[in-house]
Amino acid sequence: MALAAAKGLSVILGTPTESCPPWLWRNVPDVVATDEFHRIHGGRGRYCYNNRRLQSQIAQLVGHRTQRYGKDARIIGWPIDNELRGTPCFCEQCRQDFRDWLKARYGSLKALNDAWGTVFWSQPYSAWDEMDLPSADQLTTSTSQILDHLRFASDSVVRHLERQAQIIRRYSEGQFIGHNSMGAYPWVDLQDLVHHVDFMGWDTYPAVDSDNFEACFSHDLIRGLKEVPYWLLEQKNGYFNGGTYNLAIEPGIVRLWAYQDLGRGANGVVFYRWRSNRFNVEQNRNGILRHDGSPRRAYDEIQQLSRELARIGDALGPTRVIASVGLIFSYDQVWAQKARQQYPALTYGAEVSAYHRAVTELGLTADIMAPTHALKQYDLVIAPMLSLTNVDILRNLEDYVRHGGYLIMTTQSGIKTWANVVHDVTWPEPLGEMLGMVVKEFDAPRDGITNEVEYHGERYAVDGWMEVLHPTTANPIGIYRDKFYAGHTAISQNRYGQGIVTYVGVRYQRDLVNALIQDVANQPIHVPPPGVFMTTRVGNSGRFTFYINMQTRATQVPVARVGWDVLSDQAVGDVIEIDPWDLAIVKES
């Protein structure tokens, strides 16, 4: 830290609580998580976060470290732990804590039995000590029990971070607290975790041959958590440390990855790592310097990046990404489907990712947020496959549409309670009044069986899942053309208050969804060429639009607004040519 300070560098000092030292697990073996077969199941980060001796050791470690460095001017912040994972544990302590968690959630066994529907398969509980974890030795488990256990596991991880944050705040002064997550990793609820940190970060290791949409999804998720700039605390700059193949890094791509981080809302990028690691499972050359200390090509690209940001960083720093679309993502939906997935062709994660891809392909930017997040600032909100709802979610969606919002909902929406039990009313109650229709039937054919939907005179092949809709107050805007339900409604649109809600009763189909979004986006659409990713940051210093060419060939890109490319320092007209693995940042005239 003294060397860093002498060179004008600040330090972010993590809490080293991800890996367990041998002396600890030898003396306290149950700090390691127990799996569903009641076996100790180790691995980096596989703790039992409810183990009291582990909690005590971590509190001592973090306390000593922050007492020593909490007011050290060289240190600007504390990222807690590293890439926290949801680790369901099935030990005795977790059994007791799960029972207490359920008592706090439901209040009584009667309320739990009613919410879970335990009358099915002879599962009613008559005493709290009958409640067990959904381990492999149980005669009967329920989908509600599995969902709540996944919620409990995520809560346990979040409380682990919260305990450390409280200690750091007690002893530190003027230092921020954050966490470097794994982006769209689904087993820790970042929408809960974010309340205990000052800033969010994530670690990105994109494949050279990826289509880039997965990385964009995580960027938009992390940005939407706090609606303030975030950090990339680990940005890949070399080879993977694993995988069955390892492509050479394309010239220019390291610089481009960093600009994509900035273009989608990051205000800090830290490359992992400075020098390639020699030890253990991360011996591959993921370093700016090789193992012998000599620079790789990434060194030169990061130098170029640094020179460019020295010129434009002060203007970009105060700006924020403009997102006109809100995309609703719920960890509870992921966990509910984990508890019971009947139709592999229709998965929640795939549907959310597909709708995000559609928005991104159209040159729009989405904030990805919880279903109770404020929505009024968005021109369009998309809520794919929102099966589980509660009063707060329903009120939030209804208020948005009633006051003039445009909402898209999709298959299986509103069919379950928050405890993962199907409503005893017609689907999609309790959303029926807002949607203005009911679901009469559904069709889940095997692979290769399709139907057609006619929408605005065009026909689109659909498969995997089709719902037959019966409009009550809604208008049919998409019609089936095949099978016995030909002529029936596939897509409906209803006016509710001052707004409009569209219900898509079929599994995602790219061309159909792209056409639909363009019709209801309530704003002009500027579609970039395939392989070009577009975002805009706006602030008092101006409006900056990023055009990022993630391709191996030069591309002619129509410009949404003419202006000045701040990187090349040249005027930009209606079209700009962008080299392979390169970008333009156009400041509006």
Side-chain angles (χ1 to χ4, degrees):
M1 288 192 288
L3 282 171
K7 297 295 184 181
L9 299 176
S10 298
V11 174
I12 300 174
L13 186 63
T15 64
T17 55
E18 181 189 28
S19 296
C20 185
W23 65 263
L24 178 56
W25 58 258
R26 281 181 65 87
N27 287 287
V28 191
D30 54 356
V31 301
V32 182
T34 301
D35 71 11
E36 63 270 32
F37 298 98
H38 301 292
R39 303 171 301 193
I40 295 292
H41 188 11
R44 191 179 73 171
R46 280 196 59 85
Y47 284 126
C48 171
Y49 291 105
N50 295 308
N51 184 282
R52 302 304 192 257
R53 292 181 69 181
L54 173 68
Q55 292 173 5
S56 173
Q57 292 291 336
I58 288 176
Q60 290 183 58
L61 172 63
V62 176
H64 285 309
R65 178 167 284 208
T66 49
Q67 285 180 66
R68 178 170 179 176
Y69 294 114
K71 295 180 173 63
D72 193 318
R74 299 170 298 181
I75 297 171
I76 61 172
W78 299 83
I80 293 176
D81 208 285
N82 176 66
E83 296 179 346
L84 283 168
R85 300 160 182 83
T87 305
C89 180
F90 295 81
C91 72
E92 179 58 34
Q93 185 65 63
C94 285
R95 179 183 288 110
Q96 296 298 327
D97 287 357
F98 184 50
R99 290 170 182 167
D100 292 340
W101 186 92
L102 291 172
K103 289 177 186 177
R105 188 176 186 87
Y106 293 100
S108 69
L109 277 174
K110 181 182 186 308
L112 182 147
N113 284 323
D114 290 345
W116 284 12
T118 56
V119 66
F120 186 71
W121 278 359
S122 305
Q123 206 185 9
Y125 297 96
S126 55
W128 282 108
D129 61 7
E130 294 175 356
M131 172 60 64
D132 215 321
L133 300 164
S135 51
D137 60 351
Q138 298 302 297
L139 289 172
T140 305
T141 58
S142 79
T143 55
S144 299
Q145 180 186 16
I146 295 169
L147 169 59
D148 272 346
H149 184 237
L150 290 169
R151 286 168 168 158
F152 165 74
S154 176
D155 279 0
S156 299
V157 177
V158 173
R159 300 292 85 77
H160 161 73
L161 176 139
E162 182 185 13
R163 286 189 293 270
Q164 294 192 48
Q166 289 172 344
I167 294 170
I168 295 170
R169 289 196 171 95
R170 187 183 312 148
Y171 296 118
S172 67
E173 188 175 284
Q175 298 166 334
F176 57 73
I177 297 173
H179 174 63
N180 58 316
S181 72
M182 292 189 288
Y185 172 79
W187 306 113
V188 175
D189 186 346
L190 297 183
Q191 294 163 349
D192 179 15
L193 182 148
V194 72
H195 298 301
H196 307 292
V197 296
D198 302 313
F199 88 101
M200 280 300 300
W202 75 287
D203 301 341
T204 176
Y205 290 86
V208 174
D209 57 348
S210 74
D211 64 11
N212 197 48
F213 287 97
E214 184 178 352
C216 290
F217 185 96
S218 287
H219 278 299
D220 295 346
L221 171 67
I222 300 301
R223 186 189 63 248
L225 291 173
K226 290 189 82 73
E227 299 181 284
V228 295
Y230 55 98
W231 282 41
L232 266 293
L233 286 171
E234 293 183 24
Q235 170 61 67
K236 175 184 171 183
N237 68 87
Y239 294 92
F240 277 122
N241 286 311
T244 57
Y245 68 97
N246 231 336
L247 294 179
I249 298 297
E250 293 275 353
I253 198 172
V254 172
R255 168 178 169 267
L256 197 66
W257 281 334
Y259 272 119
Q260 172 163 272
D261 301 341
L262 302 174
R264 300 200 88 86
N267 265 17
V269 180
V270 180
F271 292 93
Y272 186 85
R273 38 186 279 158
W274 170 242
R275 185 167 175 169
S276 298
N277 181 40
R278 298 167 50 218
F279 307 111
N280 212 316
V281 297
E282 295 192 3
Q283 296 178 29
N284 261 319
R285 289 174 288 279
N286 190 35
I288 299 169
L289 305 183
R290 298 182 180 90
H291 295 93
D292 62 4
S294 61
R296 293 173 44 250
R297 277 189 288 108
Y299 182 93
D300 298 323
E301 290 186 29
I302 295 169
Q303 275 197 331
Q304 178 186 353
L305 171 70
S306 299
R307 289 192 299 267
E308 291 167 345
L309 290 177
R311 289 193 293 108
I312 66 175
D314 288 345
L316 286 177
T319 62
R320 300 290 184 270
V321 171
I322 297 299
S324 61
V325 178
L327 180 65
I328 288 176
F329 172 72
S330 168
Y331 288 90
D332 295 272
Q333 312 293 324
V334 179
W335 303 336
Q337 198 162 70
K338 172 73 172 177
R340 173 61 168 158
Q341 166 119 22
Q342 187 171 358
Y343 304 104
L346 186 66
T347 66
Y348 177 73
E351 287 293 289
V352 174
S353 295
Y355 274 86
H356 177 266
R357 183 187 185 110
V359 168
T360 306
E361 284 181 334
L362 292 172
L364 303 172
T365 304
D367 282 340
I368 300 174
M369 82 286 287
T372 52
H373 191 282
L375 302 174
K376 64 181 180 180
Q377 67 268 38
Y378 299 107
D379 295 326
L380 170 66
V381 170
I382 305 175
M385 212 171 149
L386 200 62
S387 300
L388 276 65
T389 57
N390 57 33
V391 171
D392 292 336
I393 292 172
L394 294 172
R395 185 180 296 119
N396 195 40
L397 296 176
E398 290 171 352
D399 285 350
Y400 171 71
V401 178
R402 189 183 293 113
H403 291 94
Y406 286 69
L407 174 66
I408 295 176
M409 301 196 77
T410 78
T411 58
Q412 296 194 5
S413 291
I415 67 173
K416 290 186 177 184
T417 70
W418 201 240
N420 206 19
V421 171
V422 177
H423 285 292
D424 58 353
V425 291
T426 305
W427 290 1
E429 291 289 354
L431 293 162
E433 181 183 356
M434 181 177 70
L435 295 175
M437 61 83 189
V438 296
V439 177
K440 301 296 287 185
E441 300 191 57
F442 70 85
D443 194 8
R446 66 178 184 271
D447 289 347
I449 304 299
T450 65
N451 202 324
E452 277 193 331
V453 171
E454 183 173 332
Y455 173 72
H456 287 188
E458 298 289 334
R459 293 194 175 191
Y460 303 89
V462 295
D463 62 3
W465 182 274
M466 288 82 84
E467 293 176 354
V468 181
L469 312 182
H470 176 68
T472 52
T473 60
N475 295 315
I477 61 172
I479 305 296
Y480 291 112
R481 288 305 175 197
D482 289 331
K483 299 191 73 171
F484 69 89
Y485 48 90
H488 289 270
T489 302
I491 306 172
S492 64
Q493 193 169 81
N494 191 48
R495 179 165 290 280
Y496 182 73
Q498 300 175 49
I500 293 174
V501 57
T502 299
Y503 186 88
V504 182
V506 297
R507 186 175 75 166
Y508 171 83
Q509 200 277 354
R510 179 180 180 273
D511 294 335
L512 172 59
V513 169
N514 281 8
L516 178 67
I517 291 175
Q518 290 186 75
D519 288 341
V520 303
N522 198 27
Q523 63 172 300
I525 302 289
H526 183 87
V527 183
V532 175
F533 293 80
M534 186 176 119
T535 52
T536 299
R537 293 183 60 142
V538 175
N540 292 334
S541 54
R543 182 185 185 95
F544 300 85
T545 300
F546 288 65
Y547 300 91
I548 295 178
N549 183 20
M550 287 283 183
Q551 300 178 98
T552 57
R553 64 180 186 278
T555 303
Q556 296 280 326
V557 180
V559 174
R561 291 178 171 88
V562 299
W564 195 265
D565 181 1
V566 298
L567 292 176
S568 66
D569 204 23
Q570 293 180 349
V572 175
D574 294 332
V575 177
I576 187 172
E577 181 170 298
I578 303 178
D579 289 336
W581 306 117
D582 205 353
L583 79 156
I585 304 177
V586 179
K587 182 179 182 181
E588 183 180 347
S589 298

